[in-house]
């Protein structure tokens, strides 16, 4: 085992009340997609014929967390984390999304939660991490107004089943991510495209986010409730007026679209960005503003990279294009995402400066690199550097008064990276997908030392 010195900071610098965790998600890790009564999710369908996913990757086995959760939770413990974030597969609980409850699904998460508690790990449960039951998608999924009813029932079932043991709840994982990639660009499940799908999906996700919060508040005593947003600093390519305006439009979409309604400010409708006004049609006199608002106990900020954008009139609606980090010759991860910890710092400050945010948890941050397993060792220094730099950025924001209470590394082990398949490896633990053998990477040991 290797010990890597932490030249600059240690966990102690964050104070003894700061909490450290690691995050995973059901579809990316569980496997066992048709075991014990689980229904199909949109990701099971989307991966079915292999054409939409790199390497024709399937979810069938993934990291087999469904069967190996005990060993995997031991790893979480061994690495020194005290929080464990995971999501509940809706289709495991309600195979067709609404009807009959699947007892075996309910019991699986009881086992995971009980094991966490036995090991002294605090469970953070995400209610929706992108794996909608296929049966609901057949009825329009997030574009159907009834999704709010369906989601409310699912949340109610989870709250009633686990509420006495789980106090920390995350309603949605990155609504901008799943509505854009799944209902506008067609790159993620369910593969839908266009504004006709995107706009209603946005509105229904924003409603579900707030309503989910209200249900947990009502049903779970002493609940600590949050929801997560993907956040990126949006940097204009130049000082030209048109690039500044393009950056503003992308900022509205990527950073403001969901947090503002959640904070009670309504949708970020801007004169320069007419198409979002269509959201107003759904709520003419802002009658929904109140329903979109929920008094979240914490905001889950998820940060990976900044984006640089410039004006491009050939691109419909947004009239902007990203100037990729590789083109700008910036350091990148295996996803081609720019490594920029300063941008993380600025993003945290920006969210804090909104006002109305009581507490920030970094619910995801991490990086994929081309790891090499040599003689049983993965010397992933690039990932260690990534964490080191980003933790320093977070410490700076914390010292300047931002109420950040905790941090979750993404992710425990190499897993299914959505349309990118299994190729990008984000884990602190390497997974041999043929044998399911786990090998702690040096970044995992680095965390263990850091947290000691
Ligand atoms: C998602 C994760 C994903 C990670 C890296 C986040 O947007 O919540 O599921 O694996 O980014 O792409």
């Amino acid at each position: 085992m290797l010990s890597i010195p932490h030249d600059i900071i240690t966990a102690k610098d964050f104070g003894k009340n700061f909490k450290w965790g690691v995050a995973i998600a059901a579809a990316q890790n569980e496997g066992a997609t048709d075991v014990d009564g689980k229904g199909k999710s949109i990701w099971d369908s989307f991966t079915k014929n292999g054409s939409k996913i790199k390497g024709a990757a399937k979810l069938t086995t993934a990291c087999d967390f469904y069967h190996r959760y005990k060993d995997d939770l031991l790893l979480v413990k061994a690495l020194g984390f005290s929080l464990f974030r995971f999501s509940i597969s809706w289709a495991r609980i309600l195979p067709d999304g609404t009807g009959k409850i699947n007892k075996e699904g309910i019991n699986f998460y009881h086992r995971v939660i009980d094991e966490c508690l036995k090991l002294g790990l605090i469970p953070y449960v995400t209610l929706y991490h992108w794996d909608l039951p296929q049966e609901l998608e057949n009825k329009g999924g997030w574009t159907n107004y009834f999704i709010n009813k369906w989601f409310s029932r699912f949340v109610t079932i989870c709250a009633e089943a686990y509420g006495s043991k789980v106090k920390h709840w995350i309603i949605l994982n990155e609504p901008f991510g799943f509505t854009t990639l799944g209902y506008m660009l067609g790159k993620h499940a369910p593969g839908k495209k266009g504004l006709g799908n995107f706009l209603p999906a946005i509105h229904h996700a924003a409603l579900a986010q707030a309503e989910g919060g209200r249900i947990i508040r009502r049903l779970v005593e002493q609940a600590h409730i949050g929801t997560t947003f993907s956040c990126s600093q949006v940097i204009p390519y130049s000082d030209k007026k048109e690039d500044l305006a393009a950056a503003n439009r992308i900022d509205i979409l990527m950073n403001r679209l969901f947090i503002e309604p959640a904070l009670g400010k309504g949708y970020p409708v801007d004169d320069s960005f007419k198409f979002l006004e269509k959201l107003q049609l759904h709520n003419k006199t802002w009658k929904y503003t109140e329903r979109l608002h929920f008094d979240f106990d914490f905001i889950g900020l998820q940060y990976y990279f900044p984006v640089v954008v410039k004006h491009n009139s050939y691109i419909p609606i947004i009239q902007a294009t990203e100037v990729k980090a590789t083109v700008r010759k910036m350091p990148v991860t295996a996803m081609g995402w720019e490594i920029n910890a300063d941008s993380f710092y600025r993003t945290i400050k920006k969210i804090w400066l909104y006002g109305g945010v009581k507490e920030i948890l970094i619910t995801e941050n991490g990086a994929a690199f081309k790891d090499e397993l040599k003689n049983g060792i993965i010397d992933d220094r690039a990932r260690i550097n990534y964490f080191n730099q980003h933790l320093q950025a977070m410490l700076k924001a914390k010292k300047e008064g931002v109420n950040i209470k905790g941090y979750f590394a993404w992710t425990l082990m190499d897993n299914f990276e959505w349309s990118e398949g299994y190729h990008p490896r984000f884990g602190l633990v390497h997974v041999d997908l043929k044998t399911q053998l786990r090998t702690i990477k040096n970044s995992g040991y680095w965390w263990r030392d850091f947290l000691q």
Side-chain angles (χ1 to χ4, degrees), residues 28 129-130 173-174 302 304 337 364 410 417-418 426:
Q28 294 178 277
H129 202 130
W130 303 0
N173 184 70
E174 298 188 357
Q302 319 212 136
Y304 289 92
W337 296 346
E364 279 183 32
W410 183 265
E417 179 51 27
W418 308 112
F426 275 88

Side-chain angles (χ1 to χ4, degrees), residues 42-156:
I42 51 174
W43 277 95
D44 296 326
S45 313
F46 200 63
T47 49
K48 198 167 168 208
N49 71 14
S51 64
K52 293 171 183 133
I53 310 287
K54 289 216 178 117
K58 303 267 187 296
L59 301 184
T60 337
T61 313
C63 321
D64 199 25
F65 179 77
Y66 189 77
H67 296 110
R68 294 166 196 264
Y69 69 92
K70 281 195 181 176
D71 291 345
D72 290 336
L73 290 173
L74 276 175
L75 280 170
V76 176
K77 187 75 186 166
L79 298 185
F81 293 103
S82 58
L83 317 180
F84 181 62
R85 177 184 169 210
F86 64 97
S87 73
I88 295 186
S89 152
W90 186 342
R92 225 182 255 299
I93 303 290
L94 292 160
D96 63 9
T98 51
K100 205 166 154 259
I101 298 177
N102 178 30
K103 271 258 164 60
E104 307 224 46
I106 296 274
N107 290 342
F108 169 63
Y109 296 106
H110 270 306
R111 293 199 293 279
V112 173
I113 293 162
D114 291 345
E115 196 63 19
C116 283
L117 298 175
K118 191 172 114 195
L119 293 171
L121 296 169
I122 300 172
Y124 273 67
V125 167
T126 308
L127 286 159
Y128 186 75
H129 202 130
W130 303 0
D131 45 354
L132 188 73
Q134 180 59 45
E135 284 287 324
L136 299 183
E137 184 52 42
N138 297 346
K139 299 175 188 151
W142 285 99
T143 68
N144 186 332
Y145 182 76
F146 283 103
I147 188 87
N148 291 287
K149 273 198 162 180
W150 305 330
F151 186 64
S152 294
R153 170 140 192 270
F154 168 60
V155 175
T156 304

